[in-house]
C-alpha cells in the first residue's frame, strides 16, 4: 500500500508527489508518459503578474518549480518595474524541453517517489473514504490518500473549427472514466475550455518589423539558491508586434468557422486569456492587440505567438497570421486549437484541498477550475503537504489571504467557486503590498521548515538574510548622508534638495526617485542587490505596510473564530434564505471565511457570531 497516490504528472502532480515524498510518505506518481512530466503544452513561460509571486512562494515553502524555472530559463524579466512593489513580479521565458526534462529528473531522483506509467480509470471509495485507485483491467492499487491532478486530460477533446478529436493536449490520450467515477462519488463536474496559438518557424520571421523585448541585465531569480553561474549566459530576446485592421477583418469574416462561435465548444473559456476571436468580439473598440513572439526552446526553431490563440480552420489561421507585421512570409509549424475538459466545482473542497464528502481524496490544479502552470503547482504543493499531514494525524496547512497569493487563490476557489478558468491576478489580493516577490521567504519559510520541506541549513540561510535586512533597516535611521559633491549631484539629478545636514539613509530613501542601491554605491557599502530591494521597499513604504498589517489583523480576528464542522445552518433562525443555502453548501471553517461567501450578508455574520456566543455560554 502507498501512503499517497498522485494521479497526473503535470505541474500540480510533480509538486504534490515531491512534497509528500519529502515528508516521509511512500508516494506513487501515476502518469501515462514519463517524458511528458511537467510538459508545457501552452505558453513556454513561468511567472508573470501574481503568478510569479506564487512561484516564489512555492520556493519559500520548499517546492520544486522555482529553482528549475531559474535553471532552464531563456530570459528573465521583472514586469511592472515602473509601478509599485505590490504588483512587480518576475517572469521567465522557459526552455520547455529543458524544463520538462529537469522536472522529470527531479522526480526520478526523489527516493520516496515511484513513477507508474498506467492509465487511472477510477477512484475507489468505501463509506465516503477514498481507499485507492483502479487502473485498466480492474487493477486495484490501495493508498491512504489519493490526489487527483488530471489537468486538462479528463474527458478532453481537441477542437479545430468543426473538427473534434477526443484527446488530451498535443495528441496525448484522455479518459472519460475518471470523471465518471468522480460523479459516481457525488461530485459535480462542469466543462471548461482553453486554447493555444500557432507555433511558427523562427527562421521565417522578419524580426526587423517587431519591437525587441530584452531580458533584464541584472536579473532577479525565483530561488535564493540560484547563482549567476547556474543560469543562461546570454539571454534570448522576445519580440512584440500587433494585430491590425486587416487581421480583424479576416477573423470577423470567419467567426462562424471558429469552434468557439460555431457551437462546437460547450465549456466556458478563460476570461483573462481569450482567443483572438474572442478578443475582437469582446473588445470591438480596439484597433490592435499585442502579440508577443517568444522562443520555445534552445533546441527548437519554433516561436510561440502569445496572443494569437485560435480554433479557426488552418487556412484561415494562415491568412490571419500573415497580416501581422513580421509574420508576412512565415511558415507555420503547428496550428492553434481549443481544448475542452472536465473540472470539478471547487466549492466541494475544504481549504486543505480535500474533498468535503470523500475523506482522504484531494484534488489540485486545473481539475479545480484554475488556469496556468503556476496556479496548478501552488495547489499541488498544498495538496501534497496536506495529504502527508493527514496521514500523520496532524492539522492541515491553510495559508491566509494576507500570508500568500496561494492562500488568496485557495480561499477564492473553496469560498466563491468559479464558472470559468480561474486565473490569479494582483487585484484579487486585498493585501498585495504584503504579498510581494521580495518578502516571500519572510512570509512562508517557517512553514516549509516546520513541515520538513526546508532543511535546517536552508532555513538558517533564510533567517540570516532576514536578520541582515532588519539590522540594516534599524541602522539606516542612524547613518547620515555626508555632504559631498557626489551626493549633491545625485540629489540634484533626482530633483530633491539636499540641504539638511542630518539626513539619514532612511529619510533619504523615502524621497521620490532616490534608490537605496545608488546611495549604497556612493557610500561604498556592499549589500546584495536582492536584499537591498527588500530593504528599500520596507523603508520607502513603511507607513503603507503598517496600515496593511493593521487591516490584516482585523481579518485574523474573524479567522480565529472557528465554526463547528457539524453545524446545521438550517436550524439557525433568522439567517437569510440565500445565506443559509450558501453556508450549507460551502461549510466554512471560520467566521472570516463565511463573511467572504457570495450571498452571505453582514446580518447573517452577526447572527452566526451571536449563535456561537450562546453555545459558549
Amino acid at each position: 500500500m502507498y501512503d499517497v497516490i498522485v494521479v497526473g504528472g503535470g505541474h500540480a502532480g510533480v509538486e504534490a508527489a515531491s512534497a509528500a515524498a519529502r515528508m516521509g510518505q511512500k508516494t506513487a506518481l501515476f502518469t501515462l508518459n514519463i517524458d511528458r512530466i511537467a510538459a508545457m503544452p501552452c505558453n513556454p513561460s513561468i511567472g508573470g503578474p501574481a503568478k510569479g509571486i506564487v512561484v516564489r512562494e512555492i520556493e519559500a515553502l520548499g517546492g520544486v518549480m522555482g529553482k528549475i524555472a531559474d535553471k532552464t530559463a531563456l530570459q528573465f524579466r521583472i514586469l511592472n518595474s515602473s509601478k509599485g512593489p505590490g504588483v512587480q513580479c518576475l517572469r521567465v521565458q522557459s526552455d520547455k524541453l529543458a524544463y520538462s526534462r529537469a522536472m522529470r529528473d527531479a522526480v526520478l531522483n526523489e527516493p520516496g517517489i515511484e513513477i507508474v506509467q498506467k492509465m487511472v480509470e477510477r477512484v475507489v471509495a468505501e463509506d465516503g473514504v477514498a481507499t485507492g485507485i483502479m487502473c485498466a483491467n480492474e487493477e486495484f492499487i490501495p493508498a491512504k490518500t489519493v490526489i487527483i491532478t488530471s489537468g486538462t486530460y479528463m474527458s478532453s477533446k481537441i477542437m479545430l473549427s468543426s473538427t473534434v478529436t477526443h484527446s488530451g493536449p498535443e495528441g496525448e490520450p484522455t479518459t472519460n472514466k475518471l470523471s465518471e467515477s468522480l460523479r459516481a462519488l457525488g461530485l459535480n463536474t462542469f466543462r471548461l475550455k482553453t486554447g493555444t496559438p500557432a507555433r511558427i518557424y523562427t527562421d521565417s520571421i522578419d524580426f526587423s518589423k517587431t519591437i525587441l523585448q530584452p531580458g533584464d541585465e541584472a536579473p532577479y531569480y525565483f530561488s535564493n539558491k540560484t547563482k549567476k553561474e547556474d543560469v543562461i549566459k546570454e539571454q534570448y530576446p522576445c519580440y512584440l508586434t500587433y494585430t491590425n485592421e486587416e487581421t480583424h477583418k479576416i477573423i470577423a469574416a470567419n467567426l462562424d468557422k471558429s469552434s468557439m462561435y460555431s457551437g462546437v465548444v460547450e465549456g466556458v473559456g478563460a476570461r483573462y486569456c481569450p482567443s483572438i476571436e474572442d478578443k475582437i468580439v469582446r473588445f470591438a473598440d480596439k484597433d490592435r492587440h499585442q502579440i508577443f513572439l517568444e522562443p520555445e526552446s534552445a533546441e527548437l526553431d519554433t516561436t510561440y505567438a502569445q496572443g494569437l490563440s485560435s480554433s479557426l480552420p488552418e487556412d484561415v489561421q494562415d491568412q490571419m497570421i500573415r497580416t501581422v507585421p513580421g509574420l508576412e512570409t512565415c511558415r507555420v509549424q503547428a496550428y492553434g486549437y481549443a481544448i475542452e475538459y472536465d473540472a470539478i466545482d471547487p466549492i466541494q473542497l475544504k481549504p486543505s484541498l480535500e474533498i468535503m464528502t470523500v475523506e482522504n481524496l484531494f484534488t489540485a490544479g486545473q481539475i479545480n477550475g484554475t488556469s496556468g502552470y503556476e496556479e496548478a503547482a501552488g495547489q499541488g504543493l498544498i495538496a501534497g503537504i496536506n495529504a502527508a499531514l493527514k496521514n500523520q494525524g496532524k492539522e492541515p496547512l491553510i495559508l491566509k489571504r494576507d500570508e500568500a497569493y496561494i492562500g488568496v487563490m485557495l480561499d477564492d476557489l473553496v469560498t466563491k467557486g468559479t464558472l470559468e478558468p480561474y486565473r490569479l491576478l494582483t487585484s484579487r489580493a486585498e493585501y498585495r503590498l504584503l504579498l510581494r516577490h521580495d518578502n516571500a521567504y519572510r512570509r512562508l519559510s517557517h512553514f516549509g521548515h516546520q513541515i520538513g520541506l526546508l532543511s535546517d541549513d536552508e532555513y538558517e540561510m533564510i533567517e540570516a538574510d532576514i536578520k541582515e535586512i532588519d539590522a540594516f533597516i534599524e541602522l539606516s535611521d542612524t547613518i547620515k548622508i555626508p555632504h559631498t559633491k557626489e551626493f549633491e549631484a545625485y540629489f540634484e539629478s533626482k530633483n530633491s534638495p539636499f540641504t539638511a545636514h542630518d539626513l539619514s539613509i532612511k529619510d533619504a530613501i523615502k524621497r521620490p526617485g532616490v534608490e537605496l542601491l545608488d546611495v549604497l554605491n556612493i557610500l561604498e557599502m556592499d549589500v546584495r542587490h536582492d536584499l537591498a530591494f527588500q530593504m528599500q521597499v520596507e523603508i520607502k513604504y513603511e507607513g503603507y505596510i503598517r496600515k496593511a498589517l493593521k487591516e490584516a489583523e482585523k481579518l485574523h480576528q474573524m479567522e480565529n473564530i472557528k465554526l463547528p464542522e457539524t453545524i446545521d445552518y438550517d436550524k439557525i433562525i433568522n439567517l437569510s434564505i440565500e445565506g443559509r443555502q450558501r453556508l450549507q453548501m460551502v461549510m466554512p471553517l471560520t467566521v472570516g471565511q463565511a463573511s467572504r461567501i457570495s450571498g452571505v450578508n453582514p446580518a447573517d455574520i452577526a447572527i452566526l457570531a451571536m449563535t456561537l456566543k450562546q453555545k459558549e455560554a
Side-chain angles (χ1 to χ4, degrees):
M1 175 186 281
Y2 294 104
D3 295 318
V4 179
I5 283 178
V6 179
V7 180
H11 301 271
V14 167
E15 295 290 350
S18 298
R22 289 169 59 205
M23 291 174 69
Q25 303 295 294
K26 183 182 178 184
T27 303
L29 175 62
F30 280 73
T31 180
L32 294 178
N33 185 348
I34 192 172
D35 292 321
R36 294 279 300 165
I37 281 180
M40 291 182 162
C42 198
N43 56 317
S45 68
I46 298 290
K51 293 167 177 275
I53 301 174
V54 168
V55 182
R56 182 80 163 171
E57 291 175 352
I58 290 168
E59 180 63 21
L61 286 165
V64 185
M65 179 179 262
K67 56 185 72 68
I68 290 179
D70 285 342
K71 291 179 181 179
T72 59
L74 297 174
Q75 186 193 90
F76 296 84
R77 192 180 178 108
I78 286 284
L79 305 184
N80 299 323
S81 57
S82 63
K83 298 180 180 178
V87 295
Q88 292 179 23
C89 55
L90 175 62
R91 181 184 187 272
V92 303
Q93 190 61 35
S94 297
D95 186 319
K96 73 175 192 177
L97 298 184
Y99 181 89
S100 182
R101 276 198 305 266
M103 279 293 191
R104 178 200 64 193
D105 292 346
V107 173
L108 285 171
N109 291 328
E110 183 57 59
I113 300 176
E114 180 181 343
I115 297 179
V116 184
Q117 297 186 82
K118 289 183 179 179
M119 172 76 80
V120 175
E121 295 189 337
R122 210 159 77 234
V123 174
V124 180
E126 296 176 9
D127 300 322
V129 180
T131 57
I133 58 169
M134 195 75 75
C135 296
N137 303 320
E138 293 297 297
E139 180 186 7
F140 173 66
I141 301 172
K144 294 177 183 176
T145 51
V146 176
I147 306 172
I148 306 296
T149 66
S150 51
T152 59
Y153 288 84
M154 206 161 64
S155 300
S156 53
K157 59 183 183 182
I158 299 289
M159 296 162 289
L160 184 60
S161 188
S162 59
T163 302
V164 176
T165 307
H166 290 273
S167 78
E170 299 181 332
E172 290 290 304
T174 184
T175 175
N176 294 322
K177 293 183 178 180
L178 185 56
S179 47
E180 286 173 3
S181 86
L182 295 177
R183 286 191 288 271
L185 291 173
L187 299 182
N188 297 322
T189 66
F190 63 116
R191 301 290 282 172
L192 289 177
K193 171 257 174 191
T194 186
T196 192
R199 271 62 166 179
I200 297 163
Y201 284 106
T202 306
D203 63 2
S204 69
I205 300 172
D206 183 355
F207 290 110
S208 68
K209 296 181 178 180
T210 66
I211 303 166
L212 177 67
Q213 302 284 294
D216 293 337
E217 290 183 14
Y220 286 94
Y221 305 125
F222 286 122
S223 174
N224 67 344
K225 301 182 195 71
T226 301
K227 308 299 179 191
K228 191 175 181 180
E229 56 269 23
D230 297 331
V231 303
I232 193 166
K233 300 292 183 290
E234 291 187 26
Q235 296 184 51
Y236 280 57
C238 295
Y239 299 88
L240 172 64
T241 185
Y242 293 89
T243 61
N244 50 50
E245 186 180 355
E246 187 62 27
T247 318
H248 298 186
K249 278 183 182 178
I250 291 170
I251 296 168
N254 291 278
L255 268 181
D256 61 329
K257 299 175 185 175
S258 164
S259 302
M260 174 65 80
Y261 290 94
S262 65
V264 174
V265 171
E266 301 170 26
V268 181
R271 180 195 309 238
Y272 301 104
C273 189
S275 66
I276 190 64
E277 300 98 285
D278 216 11
K279 285 180 186 175
I280 70 153
V281 171
R282 286 168 48 193
F283 308 107
D285 58 318
K286 303 288 184 185
D287 56 8
R288 66 177 190 172
H289 294 285
Q290 290 184 330
I291 306 297
F292 287 95
L293 303 176
E294 304 169 338
E296 288 203 297
S297 170
E299 302 167 43
L300 298 173
D301 181 35
T302 52
T303 289
Y304 181 86
Q306 186 196 141
L308 271 182
S309 176
S310 177
S311 60
L312 287 163
E314 292 181 359
D315 61 328
V316 178
Q317 287 192 47
D318 264 326
Q319 295 176 53
M320 171 188 74
I321 290 167
R322 289 183 173 83
T323 64
V324 176
L327 305 182
E328 294 91 344
T329 59
C330 74
R331 302 190 322 277
V332 177
Q333 185 262 343
Y335 291 94
Y337 59 82
I339 182 168
E340 194 175 84
Y341 55 95
D342 276 350
I344 69 163
D345 185 344
I347 275 187
Q348 300 165 106
L349 296 166
K350 297 177 182 178
S352 64
L353 293 180
E354 185 179 18
I355 300 290
M356 280 198 281
T357 55
V358 185
E359 191 175 354
N360 297 341
L361 176 60
F362 295 75
T363 56
Q366 286 179 278
I367 187 176
N368 290 341
T370 57
S371 67
Y373 310 140
E374 303 85 357
E375 288 94 336
Q379 291 174 71
L381 178 63
I382 296 300
I385 288 170
N386 285 331
L389 291 172
K390 183 85 188 277
N391 288 342
Q392 295 166 356
K394 297 177 181 177
E395 289 295 308
L397 173 64
I398 298 173
L399 300 175
K400 298 184 181 70
R401 295 183 72 90
D402 65 313
E403 288 177 330
Y405 268 100
I406 295 173
V408 172
M409 169 177 61
L410 297 186
D411 186 63
D412 281 351
L413 290 173
V414 305
T415 303
K416 302 172 185 175
T418 186
L419 299 174
E420 62 187 42
Y422 174 97
R423 180 178 182 175
L424 259 176
L425 305 165
T426 54
S427 59
R428 295 192 190 273
E430 310 93 314
Y431 309 106
R432 55 184 173 271
L433 187 56
L434 303 180
L435 308 181
R436 308 185 309 274
H437 171 99
D438 63 275
N439 70 349
Y441 284 101
R442 181 188 290 271
R443 291 186 276 121
L444 299 172
S445 60
H446 60 287
F447 292 123
H449 183 241
Q450 285 168 9
I451 59 181
L453 293 183
L454 289 176
S455 68
D456 290 343
D457 287 345
E458 289 171 321
Y459 189 57
E460 283 173 15
M461 184 176 78
I462 292 165
E463 285 285 277
D465 284 348
I466 292 172
K467 286 176 183 175
E468 183 177 343
I469 292 165
D470 291 344
F472 178 84
I473 291 172
E474 188 175 343
L475 194 64
S476 68
D477 209 18
T478 62
I479 301 176
K480 306 302 179 184
I481 303 289
H483 272 257
T484 63
K485 288 184 178 179
E486 196 172 3
F487 266 118
E488 286 175 9
Y490 176 73
F491 280 98
E492 188 176 331
S493 72
K494 301 296 179 181
N495 294 318
S496 182
F498 185 48
T499 54
H501 286 272
D502 58 350
L503 184 69
S504 68
I505 290 180
K506 191 171 189 178
D507 291 333
I509 299 310
K510 290 184 177 182
R511 293 185 174 191
V514 176
E515 299 289 326
L516 178 58
L517 276 176
D518 294 339
V519 172
L520 294 178
N521 286 336
I522 297 173
L523 290 172
E524 297 183 352
M525 293 177 67
D526 188 25
V527 175
R528 264 173 37 205
H529 78 287
D530 59 323
L531 299 188
F533 181 82
Q534 188 175 162
M535 293 167 182
Q536 173 167 299
V537 172
E538 294 285 349
I539 292 171
K540 197 178 279 284
Y541 296 89
E542 181 182 32
Y544 296 103
I545 290 171
R546 193 182 297 119
K547 183 179 178 182
L549 288 169
K550 205 175 207 179
E551 288 297 316
E553 185 53 40
K554 295 177 185 175
L555 172 70
H556 289 173
Q557 290 171 10
M558 295 185 74
E559 294 297 339
N560 289 335
I561 305 173
K562 305 290 184 184
L563 290 168
E565 290 188 22
T566 56
I567 192 169
D568 186 350
Y569 293 100
D570 287 332
K571 292 183 179 178
I572 300 178
I573 56 174
N574 296 326
L575 283 175
S576 67
I577 293 173
E578 185 181 7
R580 179 180 288 112
Q581 290 172 343
R582 297 293 293 178
L583 287 164
Q584 200 69 45
M585 182 189 298
V586 176
M587 294 300 292
L589 299 182
T590 67
V591 172
Q593 187 187 355
S595 71
R596 296 188 293 275
I597 299 173
S598 177
V600 176
N601 61 48
D604 293 326
I605 296 301
I607 291 165
L608 267 184
M610 197 160 46
T611 302
L612 291 174
K613 280 184 181 178
Q614 288 171 351
K615 285 190 175 182
E616 288 173 3

